[in-house]
Amino acid sequence: MQIRAALLRAANEPFTIERLDLESPKQGEVLVRMKATGVCHSDYHIVSGATPHPMPVVPGHEGAGIVAAVGAGVQSVAVGDHVSLNWAPSCGHCFYCLRDRQNLCSAYVEPVWAGTMMDGTTRLSQNGKPVFHFSSLACFAEMAVVPERCCVPLPKDIPFDVAALIGCAVTTGVGAVLNTAKVTVGSSVAIFGAGGVGLSIVMGAKVAGATQIIVVDRSKSKLETAKQFGATAGIWAELDTVAEIAKLTEGRGADYVFEAIGIPSVQETCLAAARPGGVIVFAGISPVGSSTNLPGAVLTRQEKTVMGCYYGTANPARDFPLYADMYLRGRLDLERLVTKTFRLDEINEAYAEMLAGNVARGVVTY
């Protein structure tokens, strides 16, 4: 079949909306009619060249839609199911999956970064030449063929834009709090970055029972937005953020500090913002090849713990339905995350809005 998709031909070029050929799903694959795709910075890392990837590629890894067809052997979803898409599929039986670390599954790493399906080939093409899939999904398109393991069924009363955000920002942010750091009741939390992931961390910290939720951002309007999600204080990034956090925490620093941007210099600031014995969690994706200076003397003498957080240490089959249920029960204010919706034709405008800091999360709807 032919579909319309947002195609990236090379780094530092704009997206172009083009017609591509899409094959039918093969063994263990699912055809999804896309209904919503979040505008996430991780896709922009391909545009900027911060994340190398085979080209041309259809980005989009935060999506939701309706199952339109299934390939041979598919059992977990059926035609008509509403699904949120998981960009880190797991095999269920490797070393990491057996230890409940599905987000680190080794079986899918090579094809995901090669931009292909599990068999090493693509389902997308143009004029007979392969077009690559980002994160096995390529959901900036009208239709997408994805591995069965990428599909997590959700109740049909979950709006598609909410279901899409559960597929990345919400799971990364809420999971960073509940799964990675395991924030305790009554603790103080500082969060650097008030985008989709940062605001999801705010919501997660509120659910966890944190007493202080301090948000740092360069946008004063985003700081006000963070307070609507449950932040108890906002600090403008142009200030001495470490000193300001210390003032709010009796001079100690925060118990938990989360970095939700992926900027090494900010990660270094997070180390200073945490109290002795505190926990620092890096939930933002830094550019490939970048490095962060974390002095060993400080880590040792102050017993600070630095944790990486990939996809909220998630088990998507367990966590997606959990977060959807928390949304339905009013514990996660996910609709508020969706600041603005765009058509597929407006994909470049959507990213311009994201880079300008004008949205918590933009969503492309179909």
Side-chain angles (χ1 to χ4, degrees):
M1 72 182 74
Q2 280 212 327
I3 61 168
R4 292 172 70 248
L7 188 66
L8 184 66
R9 293 191 172 276
N12 299 306
E13 291 188 1
F15 293 97
T16 55
I17 306 303
E18 302 190 29
R19 290 206 167 271
L20 304 177
D21 292 311
L22 179 66
E23 291 184 47
S24 298
K26 296 186 178 180
Q27 175 86 25
E29 297 175 354
V30 177
L31 176 66
V32 178
R33 184 179 302 280
M34 298 306 305
K35 300 298 289 184
T37 306
V39 180
C40 179
H41 215 115
S42 294
D43 295 297
Y44 192 78
H45 282 332
I46 307 176
V47 178
S48 68
T51 298
H53 196 279
M55 300 280 185
V57 60
V58 175
H61 69 283
E62 185 179 70
I66 302 172
V67 174
V70 297
V74 171
Q75 298 181 344
S76 63
V77 294
V79 172
D81 283 351
H82 290 196
V83 293
S84 178
L85 297 180
N86 158 28
W87 55 259
S90 57
C91 66
H93 52 75
C94 72
F95 176 92
Y96 297 102
C97 288
L98 293 177
R99 287 158 178 80
D100 196 32
R101 299 301 297 273
Q102 285 83 354
N103 63 315
L104 300 179
C105 174
S106 58
Y108 282 79
V109 171
E110 185 174 343
V112 162
W113 285 109
T116 68
M117 296 287 105
M118 285 298 290
D119 65 359
T121 66
T122 71
R123 301 294 164 268
L124 289 166
S125 63
Q126 187 180 56
N127 300 322
K129 296 180 179 180
V131 172
F132 297 97
H133 310 242
F134 182 52
S135 290
S136 296
L137 298 181
C139 51
F140 278 138
E142 296 170 327
M143 308 281 283
V145 169
V146 304
E148 178 184 6
R149 288 274 186 170
C150 290
C151 297
V152 180
L154 292 182
K156 292 186 178 180
D157 50 354
I158 302 294
F160 285 112
D161 52 3
V162 168
L165 300 193
I166 288 174
C168 182
V170 173
T171 293
T172 299
V174 176
V177 175
L178 303 183
N179 298 334
T180 310
K182 297 180 172 61
V183 168
T184 55
V185 173
S187 57
S188 59
V189 172
I191 302 153
F192 284 73
V197 172
L199 293 174
S200 295
I201 294 173
V202 171
M203 288 188 282
K206 185 178 179 181
V207 167
T211 303
Q212 287 181 290
I213 305 173
I214 305 161
V215 176
V216 179
D217 200 273
R218 64 184 181 181
S219 166
K220 292 183 178 180
S221 64
K222 280 191 173 182
L223 294 177
E224 292 304 312
T225 299
K227 291 178 182 178
Q228 297 172 17
F229 281 88
T232 58
I235 299 173
W236 188 37
E238 296 300 317
L239 300 176
D240 184 342
T241 55
V242 173
E244 294 297 318
I245 290 170
K247 288 179 186 177
L248 295 169
T249 56
E250 300 180 356
R252 289 188 299 270
D255 299 322
Y256 300 89
V257 180
F258 293 85
E259 197 273 351
I261 313 168
I263 299 175
S265 60
V266 177
Q267 293 170 342
E268 292 164 9
T269 301
C270 288
L271 180 68
R275 66 163 172 82
V279 174
I280 302 97
V281 179
F282 295 162
I285 299 293
S286 301
V288 173
S290 65
S291 59
T292 303
N293 179 29
L294 300 177
V298 173
L299 293 172
T300 301
R301 289 178 176 145
Q302 297 187 16
E303 290 195 350
K304 296 185 180 184
T305 300
V306 179
M307 306 180 73
C309 171
Y310 190 58
Y311 209 7
T313 316
N315 177 342
R318 174 197 67 204
D319 292 344
F320 283 17
L322 172 63
Y323 300 151
D325 181 68
M326 292 170 74
Y327 158 74
L328 291 174
R329 293 175 183 272
R331 299 186 69 197
L332 293 175
D333 189 6
L334 302 187
E335 286 185 351
R336 193 190 296 269
L337 274 179
V338 182
T339 310
K340 188 174 181 179
T341 59
F342 302 86
R343 301 188 312 273
L344 184 61
D345 292 343
E346 298 173 314
I347 184 69
N348 291 304
E349 177 186 334
Y351 272 99
E353 294 271 1
M354 181 201 74
L355 293 171
N358 295 333
V359 294
R361 202 57 147 198
V363 176
V364 173
T365 58
Y366 308 85

